[in-house]
Amino acid sequence: MFNLNLYQEKLTTGFIGQSIKYFPKLDSTNTKAWELISENAKNGMVVITDNQLKGRGRQSNKWISTPGKSLTFSIILYPNVLPNQINLYSLIAGLAITDCLIEYNIHAKLKWPNDILINSKKVGGILCESKISGGVIKSMVIGIGLNVNENIAELPEELRDNATSLMIESGTQYQLEVVLANILNHLEHRIKNDETNSQLLDWEKHCAHLNQEVTFRNGNDIVEGVFNGLSSIGQAIITINGNKIKYDGGEVIL
Ligand code: BTN
């Protein structure tokens, strides 16, 4: 059950999360968010569930979470920005999570484009979807999954070597409503601060693989190169055989 009072007590935003829809059970908060957009949902509305049954990940992967133990939520935005800004939004969402975790003395890292890692294991992921109309991003859904209170046995067996939760890493249990409000506070702060360059530098500071040899997968293409950081619109810059190549999509594999 979602404790609305606790959440509202911690929330300091002007618009993100001021309107929130809680569902005890849902297939996917991102899918529900798109449904709500078609019914004119407010800018900044948050959709959250305790039990996500068909969580969607990037590149058609599934996102599996233990009911009541993790955060699975989506944020609805109507940003009216150029389509090439989409990567920046998902990078900023990753930073909002690292900002929040620093408050708990947890130093998380980011893997391009938007995996959240603690001690090299994945603790969270972001699925950012958008609809373009008239040459601008009219609507956007930022879906966030963060493993919070799971113990090792509660993580899917096949993921145990590569996944973790805040509880596993810190030995502490967290109130989900408080962590959620904290993430949203940081997200709004970062979205309102339009100094793109400082956001990009912050992301690079938190990057798990800056200037390191990485494997990069883009569709069926797998290449080896050095991750040299971000372009001005958040693309991954990879140096392959001496050539710097900018990627909009794909992912770093560590
Ligand atoms: C990834 O790492 O592949 C992204 C995972 C994103 C999962 C979240 S959970 C809340 C929201 N609803 C979904 O169906 N997916 C995102």
Side-chain angles (χ1 to χ4, degrees):
M1 207 40 217
F2 189 77
N3 184 335
L4 189 63
N5 283 339
L6 183 57
Y7 166 75
Q8 281 171 337
E9 240 169 63
K10 299 289 170 193
L11 195 72
T12 58
T13 60
F15 75 105
I16 293 184
Q18 286 299 330
S19 156
I20 183 159
K21 288 232 186 274
Y22 161 76
F23 299 85
K25 203 196 282 184
L26 263 189
D27 277 351
S28 154
T29 57
N30 266 39
T31 307
K32 190 64 181 181
W34 283 114
E35 246 175 78
L36 293 167
I37 286 174
S38 70
E39 295 160 13
N40 299 319
K42 280 196 185 152
N43 191 25
M45 179 186 274
V46 167
V47 183
I48 183 159
T49 186
D50 277 340
N51 186 4
Q52 182 168 258
L53 305 168
K54 291 186 187 160
R56 299 193 278 113
R58 294 182 65 251
Q59 295 167 340
S60 310
N61 289 326
K62 288 184 199 153
W63 182 261
I64 301 167
S65 36
T66 310
K69 297 274 170 162
S70 74
L71 279 171
T72 46
F73 64 100
S74 302
I75 302 137
I76 294 173
L77 295 175
Y78 302 110
N80 273 316
V81 295
L82 291 175
N84 67 9
Q85 303 292 295
I86 178 105
N87 273 350
L88 290 176
Y89 276 81
S90 64
L91 297 176
I92 283 173
L95 276 174
I97 297 172
T98 59
D99 291 343
C100 163
L101 297 183
I102 285 169
E103 291 190 19
Y104 304 119
N105 211 13
I106 296 176
H107 295 267
K109 293 275 180 196
L110 298 167
K111 177 166 86 66
W112 198 91
N114 43 27
D115 281 356
I116 296 104
L117 311 178
I118 305 178
N119 292 326
S120 308
K121 292 184 171 187
K122 183 160 170 170
V123 70
I126 298 168
L127 176 66
C128 199
E129 300 175 308
S130 60
K131 284 214 174 108
I132 296 166
S133 151
V136 293
I137 303 179
K138 272 276 177 291
S139 39
M140 178 185 282
V141 173
I142 303 177
I144 297 179
L146 184 68
N147 299 334
V148 181
N149 289 326
E150 294 93 335
N151 57 41
I152 295 193
E154 287 164 333
L155 294 176
E157 207 176 337
E158 67 279 14
L159 300 179
R160 276 178 211 160
D161 287 345
N162 300 311
T164 192
S165 74
L166 301 188
M167 215 284 284
I168 294 169
E169 296 302 319
S170 66
T172 307
Q173 297 265 348
Y174 298 85
Q175 281 172 307
L176 295 176
E177 295 85 346
V178 174
V179 179
L180 171 67
N182 253 326
I183 293 173
L184 300 177
N185 292 342
H186 285 290
L187 181 64
E188 183 169 300
H189 188 256
R190 285 207 174 258
I191 283 179
K192 279 186 173 166
N193 160 12
D194 47 24
E195 292 236 338
T196 306
N197 268 348
S198 74
Q199 312 259 23
L200 294 169
L201 284 173
D202 279 356
W203 195 94
E204 288 178 348
K205 270 189 220 150
H206 285 92
C207 177
H209 47 75
L210 187 64
N211 298 324
Q212 286 179 21
E213 283 276 352
V214 294
T215 302
F216 192 81
R217 180 167 53 207
N218 188 24
N220 289 332
D221 244 24
I222 296 194
V223 293
E224 305 282 333
V226 174
F227 182 93
N228 287 131
L230 301 172
S231 75
S232 59
I233 52 168
Q235 296 152 303
I237 304 175
I238 316 265
T239 302
I240 302 164
N241 299 328
N243 300 316
K244 278 194 187 333
I245 304 181
K246 291 179 183 169
Y247 288 94
D248 288 301
E251 66 172 335
V252 167
I253 304 166
L254 294 180

